[in-house]
Amino acid sequence: MNYLRVADLGADGLKNALDLSIRAKSNPDEFGSALTGQEVGLFYMKPSTRTRVSTEVAVSQLGGRPMTLRNEEVGLGKREAPADVARTLDRYLDILALRVFEHEHLDIIGAHAKAPVINLLSDLEHPCQALADVQTMSEARPLAGSVLTFIGDGNNVCHSLMVAAAMLDVEVRVAAPEGYEPLPEYVELASQYSSVTVTPDVNAAVEGSDFVYTDVWASMGQEDEAAARRRLFEGYRVDEELFGRANDTAVFLHCLPAHRGEEVTDGVADHSRSRIFDQAENRMHSFKGVLLHLTQ
């Protein structure tokens, strides 16, 4: 089984992975030998801080051996075809996790490798981040019946988050400028599980929310669009006034890195109800949850 999209797990699988993530955090010794003798490849086409450190530590703490691979060595899609990379690495590794640009590469590798393949980030989804997000949300309040508002670009983070949250009976609202909404297929998928609203009206979307989430306005690979995006997204900055429209107990979330002063102010990022560094920590625990679920 692979974890390339949140939907790959299904609602029951997501709940199981979340439960394993929570248990791994509350009792680190419970699964300390779960991956003993297993080799886990961690491949990076993009720079990373949280993903690289959290995954390497997670594998080590589960008793496995992490092996980091950089694209300068592999040349995925240029020096060597993704299918050939998959067939080769499959002979060496028990699990393969990749951080790529094109999601298509993950689909090809997943189709040609017998070992479980995990998406550490692609242009379409960020499913490991979504699991850490819902874990962090669950620490603040019960998920079922709560309201999550995502503000900004309907990007890969938004896609995975809205599906994961909806699968756990969270109402999802997305406030995005016209032309930057999440892909319709993700809205349709999430709507099969819970109420989903996509609107350009950021104030209405935040009103009464339990969780307010944002991400950078321009992701890696979109640097040439950064100036134009700043102008378009100016009204979507999460500042103290906007955050104040949410519930009095609302929690602020951000997958990091944050461009402080752009999509979020210091006052919100450092707010007493900001949980952004809990999210960062939970990347490690939730990756354990994914590994444990896929290898059970």
Side-chain angles (χ1 to χ4, degrees), residues 8 19 69 72 75 78 99 111 113 117 169 181 202 225 236 243 250 262 274 278 284 286:
D8 289 344
D19 177 65
L69 303 165
E72 290 85 348
K78 293 185 178 180
R99 182 177 172 94
V117 179
D169 198 26
E181 303 92 344
V202 65
E225 304 174 32
Y236 292 82
F243 189 49
E262 290 190 8
S274 171
D278 292 335
M284 177 179 65
S286 61

Coordinates of all heavy atoms in Angstrom, one line a residue, residues 8 19 69 72 75 78 99 111 113 117 169 181 202 225 236 243 250 262 274 278 284 286:
D8 N -5.8 7.8 -0.3 CA -5.3 6.4 -0.4 C -5.6 5.6 0.8 O -5.7 4.4 0.7 CB -3.7 6.4 -0.7 CG -3.4 6.9 -2.1 OD1 -4.2 6.9 -2.9 OD2 -2.2 7.2 -2.3
D19 N -4.5 7.6 15.0 CA -4.4 6.9 16.3 C -3.0 6.5 16.6 O -2.5 6.6 17.7 CB -5.4 5.7 16.4 CG -5.3 5.0 17.7 OD1 -5.6 5.6 18.8 OD2 -4.9 3.8 17.7
L69 N 18.6 10.4 0.1 CA 19.1 10.5 -1.3 C 18.7 11.9 -1.8 O 17.6 12.4 -1.6 CB 18.4 9.4 -2.1 CG 18.5 8.0 -1.6 CD1 17.5 7.1 -2.3 CD2 19.9 7.5 -2.0
E72 N 20.6 15.3 -6.9 CA 21.8 15.5 -7.6 C 22.5 14.2 -7.9 O 23.2 14.0 -8.9 CB 22.8 16.4 -6.8 CG 22.4 17.8 -6.7 CD 21.4 18.1 -5.5 OE1 20.8 17.1 -5.0 OE2 21.1 19.3 -5.2
G75 N 19.0 12.2 -10.2 CA 18.6 12.8 -11.5 C 17.2 12.2 -12.0 O 17.1 11.8 -13.2
K78 N 15.5 12.8 -15.5 CA 16.5 13.4 -16.4 C 17.6 12.4 -16.7 O 17.8 11.9 -17.7 CB 17.0 14.7 -15.9 CG 15.9 15.8 -15.9 CD 16.5 17.2 -15.5 CE 15.4 18.2 -15.6 NZ 15.9 19.6 -15.2
R99 N 10.2 13.5 -1.8 CA 9.7 14.9 -1.9 C 10.1 15.4 -3.3 O 11.3 15.5 -3.6 CB 10.5 15.7 -0.8 CG 10.1 17.2 -0.7 CD 10.9 17.7 0.5 NE 10.7 19.2 0.5 CZ 9.8 19.8 1.3 NH1 9.0 19.1 2.0 NH2 9.8 21.1 1.4
A111 N 3.8 2.7 -8.9 CA 3.3 1.6 -9.8 C 4.4 0.5 -10.0 O 4.1 -0.6 -10.4 CB 2.8 2.1 -11.1
A113 N 7.2 0.0 -7.8 CA 7.9 -0.5 -6.6 C 7.0 -1.4 -5.8 O 5.8 -1.1 -5.7 CB 8.4 0.7 -5.8
V117 N 5.4 3.3 -0.9 CA 5.9 4.5 -1.4 C 5.1 5.6 -0.7 O 3.9 5.6 -0.7 CB 5.8 4.7 -2.9 CG1 6.3 6.0 -3.4 CG2 6.6 3.6 -3.6
D169 N -14.8 14.4 9.7 CA -16.0 15.1 10.0 C -15.8 16.6 10.5 O -16.5 17.1 11.4 CB -16.8 14.3 11.1 CG -18.3 14.7 11.2 OD1 -18.8 15.2 10.1 OD2 -18.9 14.6 12.2
E181 N -8.4 29.0 -6.3 CA -9.1 28.0 -5.5 C -8.5 26.6 -5.6 O -7.8 26.3 -6.6 CB -10.6 27.9 -6.0 CG -11.3 29.3 -5.9 CD -11.3 30.0 -7.2 OE1 -10.4 29.7 -8.1 OE2 -12.1 30.9 -7.4
V202 N -13.0 36.3 2.7 CA -12.2 35.8 3.8 C -12.8 36.1 5.1 O -12.8 35.2 6.1 CB -10.8 36.4 3.7 CG1 -10.7 37.9 3.9 CG2 -9.8 35.7 4.7
E225 N 6.4 34.3 -9.7 CA 5.1 34.8 -9.5 C 4.9 35.6 -8.2 O 3.8 36.1 -7.9 CB 4.0 33.7 -9.5 CG 4.0 32.8 -10.8 CD 3.1 31.6 -10.6 OE1 2.1 31.8 -9.9 OE2 3.4 30.5 -11.1
Y236 N -5.7 38.7 2.1 CA -5.8 37.4 2.7 C -4.8 37.2 3.8 O -4.5 36.1 4.2 CB -5.7 36.3 1.6 CG -6.9 36.4 0.7 CD1 -7.0 37.3 -0.4 CD2 -8.0 35.5 0.9 CE1 -8.1 37.3 -1.2 CE2 -9.1 35.5 0.1 CZ -9.2 36.4 -1.0 OH -10.3 36.5 -1.8
F243 N -8.0 37.2 12.6 CA -8.0 36.1 13.6 C -9.1 36.3 14.6 O -9.7 35.3 15.1 CB -6.6 35.9 14.2 CG -6.5 34.6 15.0 CD1 -6.8 33.4 14.5 CD2 -5.9 34.7 16.3 CE1 -6.7 32.2 15.3 CE2 -5.7 33.6 17.0 CZ -6.1 32.3 16.5
A250 N -10.2 29.7 19.1 CA -9.7 29.3 17.9 C -8.2 29.1 17.9 O -7.5 29.9 18.6 CB -10.1 30.2 16.7
E262 N 3.8 38.7 5.4 CA 3.0 38.4 4.2 C 1.7 37.7 4.5 O 0.7 38.4 4.8 CB 3.8 37.7 3.2 CG 5.0 38.5 2.6 CD 5.7 37.8 1.4 OE1 5.2 36.7 1.0 OE2 6.7 38.3 0.9
S274 N -1.5 30.1 18.9 CA -0.8 29.5 17.7 C -0.2 28.2 18.1 O 0.4 28.0 19.1 CB 0.3 30.5 17.3 OG 1.1 29.9 16.3
D278 N 3.8 23.1 17.5 CA 3.3 21.8 17.7 C 3.1 21.0 16.4 O 3.4 19.8 16.4 CB 1.9 21.9 18.5 CG 2.1 22.5 19.9 OD1 3.2 22.3 20.5 OD2 1.1 23.0 20.4
M284 N 7.0 14.6 13.0 CA 7.8 13.4 13.4 C 6.8 12.3 13.9 O 6.9 11.2 13.4 CB 8.8 13.8 14.5 CG 9.6 12.6 15.0 SD 10.8 13.0 16.3 CE 9.7 13.6 17.6
S286 N 3.6 12.0 13.4 CA 2.7 11.5 12.4 C 3.4 10.7 11.3 O 2.7 9.8 10.7 CB 1.9 12.7 11.7 OG 2.9 13.6 11.1

